[in-house]
Amino acid sequence: MTVPDRLSSVFKGRDEFDLTDGSIGKPLFYLSLPIVVTNLLQTAYNLADTLWLGRYSTEALAAISFAFPMVFLLFSLGMGVTVAGSVLVAQHIGADEEEEAKYAASQTVSFAIIVSLVLGGVGYFIVGDLLGLLGASPEVLPLATDYMRVISSGLVFMFGFFVFTALMRGYGDTITPMLVMLLTVVVNIVIDPFLIFGWWIFPELGVAGAAYATIFSRALAFVVGMAIMLRGTRGVQITPADMVPNLTYAKKIVRIGVPASIEGTGRSLSVNLMLVIVGLFPTTVVAGYGIGVRVFSVIFLPAIAVARGVETMTGQNIGAEKPDRAATAAGIAAKTMLAILGGLGIVVILTARPIAAVFTDDPAVVAVTADFLRWVAPTFGFIGVMRAYTGSFRGAGKTMTAAAISVLMLGFIRLPVALGLARPDILGLPLPAFGSTGIWMAFAVSNTAGAIIAYLWYRRGTWRDADPRGEVPVGDDDEDEDRSDATVAPTDD
């Protein structure tokens, strides 16, 4: 069997499975697997920058350590557009409304370009002040600012690629974005050192060189992605005529997308606020926390991918008026993630110290990291359960519900419990202080609580009658008469 044959047997396109009919487990697997690979490629993308800049200088490495959370914050503010587009395309495809799906995709692209230009413009002028507030030193601040200003200038290309990925996922095609991401990663890894170190005919740009490499590779991916969607031979199609901004449709995207942006921004802020609590303890604790978070980012890739798959399956089945099938998909995903991540949790518990030793040879940091992993690893499966159900909420258009669960888990459970168990004296509570272990205990408590809350909320069934498509004037008046005009209004929890 040739290599292409082997790959085709593992990665199956949308034409080889139906998300609204037949079996559920296999389509969900084939939908989610390419997302796992895409996320791994994204991780490789970030590691490439870290590797080359780490060889350039310590200040350069510190600069991107400050810059990466800022990039994540910018994406979080705008990620609602990608979620809204994915949900709308999925529901229209499920309802066999191809023209409406095209229009939704076209409007999402134009609206995303506008949002990214605004965020990029604002970010360009304020990143220096924000990085200063985060505590960047005088040596690091100008480097981090240069990096972020380049990223802000090209944010439209970076954001455009993520929109392409989301729209294709809503259609049910996750293989094409994976292949385009592979192209992006290869280009970025190749040109990174040329721009950072000034190899061959290129000037030495240092940290800014890494940013330029990122923008160039993402611009290439953006152009390829737009070409694919304009041709319409794979996945959803967009048309220039439908990209003329429609303010009425923009309101729909905002209604669906803002809660998703709140969810992403809340996650970003919670990470930074948790750093404040962790920062109350010695450097060894901060280092151990950083290692633990990196381990989680890899382990949770399957959960994130399956959540995206469930989002698409729910969207298409809600559009096809098959909520029971959507519920079955969410249940299968939750059970599968509970088993897989639970098994990985057991492995991490047994190998906590060796895992920590891969990242550091400091015995104190190894001990802290192992303590962190052993407390949190038993609840890995619960993260998978929560992700599966919140993904289904988003697919149904209930993005506010998904955001509420996330904010409740992180802001009202994890952070207060962490501070209360680690440093109860700050809150004036008459409780024993568990030190840094209290922070790790808070992760375990919040992961478990998040899974229970998501499951019970899902059981209420308020998502079943949701339909965010609504009735929107599309194109000219003569064209409107030929289009389907679903009139079901979205319901509130």
Side-chain angles (χ1 to χ4, degrees):
M1 181 181 290
T2 64
V3 173
D5 290 337
R6 291 181 183 277
L7 290 176
S8 64
S9 67
V10 176
F11 299 104
K12 294 185 181 295
R14 182 179 182 274
D15 55 336
E16 298 179 79
F17 58 81
D18 188 348
L19 300 182
T20 60
D21 194 27
S23 64
I24 293 177
K26 288 184 178 180
L28 183 59
F29 170 78
Y30 289 126
L31 192 65
S32 302
L33 182 59
I35 302 177
V36 174
V37 177
T38 301
N39 290 339
L40 285 172
L41 290 172
Q42 177 63 47
T43 301
Y45 201 103
N46 295 332
L47 287 176
D49 280 353
T50 303
L51 173 65
W52 289 119
L53 288 174
R55 294 184 176 183
Y56 185 75
S57 72
T58 301
E59 290 78 14
L61 191 59
I64 60 169
S65 296
F66 277 100
F68 280 169
M70 190 70 64
V71 174
F72 181 54
L73 179 60
L74 287 175
F75 279 133
S76 296
L77 290 171
M79 72 173 291
V81 179
T82 67
V83 172
S86 178
V87 169
L88 289 168
V89 168
Q91 294 205 3
H92 284 305
I93 291 297
D96 287 328
E97 298 170 350
E98 290 281 348
E99 290 302 311
E100 285 74 8
K102 291 180 182 179
Y103 190 78
S106 301
Q107 285 292 303
T108 300
V109 170
S110 60
F111 192 52
I113 290 174
I114 294 172
V115 169
S116 60
L117 288 174
V118 172
L119 286 175
V122 173
Y124 183 89
F125 291 103
I126 69 171
V127 287
D129 294 331
L130 291 178
L131 289 167
L133 290 174
L134 288 176
S137 67
E139 296 79 15
V140 172
L141 180 58
L143 299 177
T145 301
D146 288 344
Y147 182 92
M148 282 306 305
R149 282 181 174 167
V150 174
I151 293 295
S152 297
S153 299
L155 191 66
V156 63
F157 301 118
M158 299 180 68
F159 202 67
F161 172 71
F162 284 112
V163 170
F164 160 69
T165 300
L167 295 176
M168 296 294 284
R169 184 177 66 245
Y171 184 83
D173 182 355
T174 54
I175 296 178
T176 302
M178 178 188 72
L179 297 176
V180 177
M181 173 61 90
L182 177 60
L183 169 68
T184 301
V185 171
V186 171
V187 171
N188 185 75
I189 291 175
V190 170
I191 66 176
D192 244 352
F194 286 88
L195 296 178
I196 292 173
F197 297 99
W199 290 358
W200 196 34
I201 62 174
F202 297 95
E204 181 180 339
L205 299 175
V207 175
Y212 281 116
T214 296
I215 293 302
F216 177 80
S217 55
R218 285 299 169 87
L220 177 62
F222 172 73
V223 170
V224 172
M226 292 303 105
I228 290 172
M229 290 195 293
L230 285 169
R231 291 178 61 187
T233 54
R234 291 186 65 89
V236 70
Q237 184 176 16
I238 61 175
T239 57
D242 287 339
M243 292 177 67
V244 178
N246 180 332
L247 294 180
T248 304
Y249 211 89
K251 293 178 181 177
K252 175 189 294 189
I253 293 176
V254 169
R255 188 183 69 239
I256 301 171
V258 166
S261 291
I262 292 174
E263 180 182 359
T265 304
R267 289 184 181 279
S268 175
L269 291 176
S270 71
V271 171
N272 289 295
L273 290 174
M274 184 60 76
L275 275 172
V276 174
I277 299 175
V278 174
L280 297 172
F281 296 89
T283 304
T284 53
V285 175
V286 178
Y289 172 76
I291 294 173
V293 169
R294 285 178 175 82
V295 173
F296 300 161
S297 67
V298 176
I299 289 178
F300 293 151
L301 287 179
I304 296 172
V306 169
R308 295 303 187 191
V310 171
E311 179 183 308
T312 299
M313 289 201 72
T314 299
Q316 291 201 14
N317 282 285
I318 288 291
E321 299 182 356
K322 296 181 178 180
D324 288 340
R325 182 176 170 84
T328 301
I332 290 175
K335 293 174 184 176
T336 302
M337 286 299 95
L338 181 63
I340 293 177
L341 294 184
L344 287 175
I346 294 174
V347 173
V348 170
I349 292 172
L350 298 175
T351 60
R353 293 188 71 87
I355 290 175
V358 170
F359 296 89
T360 179
D361 56 4
D362 186 331
V365 177
V366 169
V368 170
T369 305
D371 187 37
F372 185 9
L373 294 176
R374 285 168 181 157
W375 270 103
V376 184
T379 64
F380 282 174
F382 294 117
I383 284 288
V385 171
M386 190 194 77
R387 290 277 189 170
Y389 287 120
T390 54
S392 191
F393 277 125
R394 282 192 296 272
K398 291 290 187 176
T399 49
M400 182 60 78
T401 302
I405 293 172
S406 179
V407 170
L408 181 61
M409 171 195 150
L410 297 172
F412 291 89
I413 298 178
R414 179 173 295 175
L415 289 173
V417 171
L419 186 58
L421 293 179
R423 289 290 303 276
D425 57 302
I426 294 179
L427 298 177
L429 298 175
L431 298 173
F434 291 94
S436 61
T437 301
I439 302 176
W440 321 147
M441 294 166 67
F443 272 82
V445 170
S446 60
N447 289 348
T448 305
I452 294 173
I453 292 170
Y455 171 73
L456 294 177
W457 207 327
Y458 196 80
R459 286 285 301 273
R460 294 176 61 210
T462 54
W463 55 273
R464 287 177 171 269
D465 298 325
D467 187 346
R469 289 171 294 164
E471 180 179 8
V472 175
V474 179
D476 297 328
D477 293 339
D478 293 338
E479 294 175 349
D480 289 345
E481 296 175 0
D482 297 328
R483 295 180 183 268
S484 172
D485 57 349
T487 58
V488 181
T491 59
D492 296 323
D493 284 347

